[in-house]
Amino acid sequence: MAGPRATSQRNFACLARVDGPRALSRARGAARAPSCAGCAGFSLIDLLVSMAVITVLIGLLMPSLTSVRETARRVVCASNVRQHGLGIAMYAADSGGFLPQSKYGNAARAGTYSPNRMTMLRTDDTPAAWDGLGVLYRLEYLEAPGVFYCPSHRGQARLADFASVWTSDSGAIESNYQFRGGIGIRLDSLQDEKAMVTDALRSQVDFSHQVGSNVLKGDFGVGWFNDPARQVSVGLPLDGRDSDAGPRVDQAWQAIDDALRYAR
């Protein structure tokens, strides 16, 4: 009796005689092709384990990615504040040494002192009047609206909230940076470590970075005010329209001044 190997050889010989070399090649390929009946694929458990590992890795990386993004936003914020300083310096050089005026900083006139409102760039008066840092835009010392908005801001004074008003000649415009101006304030009257511009102090949600802020000082240096305990943020009013909002903003300025002075 012929064995399997002899039978296979006879079959190849028959194919070669009947169909020629092409059929013989197909038959040999079929003989060599491995059977996949016993091949093992991915099971549901393998897939679930892989997804769990990926989820854990993403969870480990997310805090680092969030920290990197916030660091990048702080850099942009510091650049904005530095440009405010350049604009103020140029304005003062052209205006006899005076800072841009803000009607909300007139402590000498009863009922008009509202430091919590010194985020305003343009008032809703008729006609609309540019105020504080907004004067720098009106006189073209600063030409880009974006420099008045911190990328970390989470409140309601964002560039997108005022995009349509920037292109019109009327309507109030608010920044999310706080100016420390007034009426008739000379640049040379400021102490080097006294803050002039920082994150909005209007309310707790307006304090953009929460654990600190970029600060423009009287010597035009820009530094980071570090407040990991969030004492300034917690001390701000819940709403900028609260009756005690003005005094709370003044207390925040004083806390920042103290920190800058002790850091020297």
Side-chain angles (χ1 to χ4, degrees), residues 72-74 76-77 80 149-154 176-177 208-209:
R73 288 192 288 261
R74 286 186 190 181
V76 175
C77 176
N80 290 346
Y149 298 94
C150 174
S152 289
H153 190 72
R154 298 168 294 106
N176 52 49
Y177 288 104
S208 300
H209 301 284

Side-chain angles (χ1 to χ4, degrees), residues 141-206:
Y141 292 106
L142 298 176
E143 299 181 352
V147 302
F148 299 103
Y149 298 94
C150 174
S152 289
H153 190 72
R154 298 168 294 106
Q156 297 181 349
R158 297 166 297 181
L159 177 59
D161 299 321
F162 296 94
S164 61
V165 189
W166 275 100
T167 58
S168 69
D169 296 327
S170 62
I173 300 177
E174 188 171 3
S175 169
N176 52 49
Y177 288 104
Q178 193 84 24
F179 180 52
R180 198 180 197 176
I183 304 295
I185 299 179
R186 291 185 59 87
L187 180 59
D188 56 14
S189 68
L190 298 179
Q191 299 175 3
D192 290 348
E193 69 274 9
K194 193 168 185 177
M196 282 196 294
V197 178
T198 191
D199 282 352
L201 303 172
R202 183 173 179 268
S203 69
Q204 292 183 11
V205 72
D206 286 314

